[in-house]
Amino acid sequence: MYASTRCFFSNFNSRSASAVAALVSVLTLLVSPVAISSDGAVANTAAAEVSSILGSNVTFNAFFEQTVFNHRGRAIQESHGRIWVERPGRFRWQATEPYPQTVVSDGKQLWFYDPDLEQVTIRPFDNNLSSTPGLLLSGEVAQLESSFTVAVGDITPEIEGLARYVLTPKGTENLFSELELVFKDDLLVSMQIRDSLGQLTEFRFSDIAVNEPIDSGKFHLKIPEGVDVIGP
């Protein structure tokens, strides 16, 4: 699983590879099926809260701002654009500035389009593609607890309606060392992913709409004429 993930991202240009890895982690998380244990026996309340919040959102549509920080906390890359998400397995991430890039999944295939390289990379969509994040909310809360330590994070100063959760993988081979989710009135407003080298990728979401219909055409990439295609 981990080898295939690294192979997939190695096709991306070095400018965006780590950021795109974090991005697909985010989107795979958002489109994974979510279920709460029917017997109600949940040992970790924080895990149950995260699953319940994300599981209530069938669609998610928002403007995003993405910033990548190096291990010293210096911003080294910024981008923004819009995302459309629909469970299960469908999403479109479209960055417009400073480098146009598009990542699309229809639940069966994953397309990455880089206009600068005039290249489209295609791979089968797999919930495990982004390593542990793809498994994060793939089923019962018990599965979440078996893969992650889930804790309620501090909010300083305290803001009404704001909730922060910190998820730490229990395994040793992961694309990230810590994942932070912040919700405002049960809407996902930011996410931070820290990798093993200390690099931090932050996503901030605004103009958010949940559970509203999304045109199915958003979840298919029309490949431009004349570009190189890598994959099936």
Side-chain angles (χ1 to χ4, degrees):
M1 173 174 64
Y2 305 108
S4 64
T5 300
R6 294 191 181 101
C7 179
F8 177 76
F9 290 118
S10 69
N11 289 320
F12 301 160
N13 61 77
S14 59
R15 178 191 72 211
S16 61
S18 61
V20 170
L23 161 72
V24 176
S25 297
V26 172
L27 296 178
T28 306
L29 161 65
L30 290 175
V31 299
S32 297
V34 179
I36 301 298
S37 179
S38 59
D39 61 8
V42 178
N44 189 324
T45 301
E49 290 173 356
V50 171
S51 295
S52 177
I53 294 171
L54 288 180
S56 65
N57 297 333
V58 177
T59 67
F60 181 88
N61 171 12
F63 176 81
F64 73 85
E65 296 175 278
Q66 177 182 347
T67 305
V68 180
F69 301 88
N70 65 14
H71 67 286
R72 295 181 190 191
R74 183 171 68 88
I76 57 175
Q77 182 180 333
E78 295 183 347
S79 63
H80 65 259
R82 194 155 195 96
I83 67 170
W84 296 264
V85 174
E86 182 176 273
R87 295 179 187 274
R90 307 208 298 175
F91 61 77
R92 184 184 193 95
W93 174 85
Q94 196 153 336
T96 54
E97 297 289 342
Y99 306 109
Q101 291 179 329
T102 302
V103 181
V104 179
S105 169
D106 64 357
K108 297 177 181 178
Q109 285 190 311
L110 183 70
W111 295 268
F112 177 85
Y113 173 44
D114 190 320
D116 287 352
L117 295 179
E118 298 184 332
Q119 178 179 292
V120 173
T121 302
I122 306 174
R123 289 290 183 272
F125 178 79
D126 184 349
N127 278 339
N128 296 336
L129 179 64
S130 59
S131 187
T132 310
L135 302 175
L136 180 58
L137 297 178
S138 60
E140 305 289 344
V141 173
Q143 295 175 345
L144 173 64
E145 293 179 294
S146 69
S147 298
F148 293 88
T149 299
V150 184
V152 177
D154 293 332
I155 299 291
T156 306
E158 291 188 8
I159 301 175
E160 185 177 355
L162 206 63
R164 175 174 170 258
Y165 299 90
V166 179
L167 294 84
T168 305
K170 294 180 178 179
T172 56
E173 291 190 52
N174 299 287
L175 290 179
F176 70 96
S177 60
E178 185 178 274
L179 174 65
E180 176 184 299
L181 307 174
V182 177
F183 299 91
K184 171 67 173 172
D185 297 326
D186 288 348
L187 291 178
L188 182 65
V189 295
S190 75
M191 176 179 288
Q192 292 187 352
I193 300 176
R194 188 178 299 277
D195 67 23
S196 59
L197 299 178
Q199 180 170 285
L200 179 72
T201 302
E202 179 183 48
F203 299 88
R204 298 174 303 282
F205 303 111
S206 59
D207 189 23
I208 301 168
V210 297
N211 296 328
E212 294 185 0
I214 299 176
D215 183 353
S216 61
K218 291 288 185 187
F219 307 118
H220 183 83
L221 181 69
K222 184 177 180 180
I223 298 176
E225 293 184 6
V227 303
D228 293 329
V229 177
I230 299 174

